[in-house]
Amino acid sequence: MLPHPGVYALNHLLGAEAWARAKLKPYAGQCVEFRASPLPALRLEILDSGLLADAAQDAASNLVVTIAWGALPALVQGEDA
């Protein structure tokens, strides 16, 4: 099964930011879930490298990040928005 497209996007951003990967490394093996209704939830596992992968179906979320629907356009536009 192919990874969720969000995994590619987040890993692309993380790939350019060594400091961010370093901050995630201590949490390797844990699961983070992103929710932005009405989109389906995106559950990701933090890898030893500090990158992300799709979490197992039965993985419990260690952290849930809820993103308000109105914030999504600003996230897509970048930090200047």
Side-chain angles (χ1 to χ4, degrees), residues 30-59:
Q30 294 190 18
C31 179
V32 60
E33 181 176 332
F34 294 94
R35 295 181 185 167
S37 183
L39 300 173
L42 176 60
R43 287 190 352 206
L44 303 172
E45 179 183 352
I46 301 170
L47 303 175
D48 292 336
S49 64
L51 295 175
L52 304 167
D54 285 325
Q57 293 277 341
D58 60 350

Side-chain angles (χ1 to χ4, degrees), residues 47-75:
L47 303 175
D48 292 336
S49 64
L51 295 175
L52 304 167
D54 285 325
Q57 293 277 341
D58 60 350
S61 297
N62 299 95
L63 172 70
V64 176
V65 178
T66 303
I67 302 167
W69 177 249
L72 287 177
L75 286 173

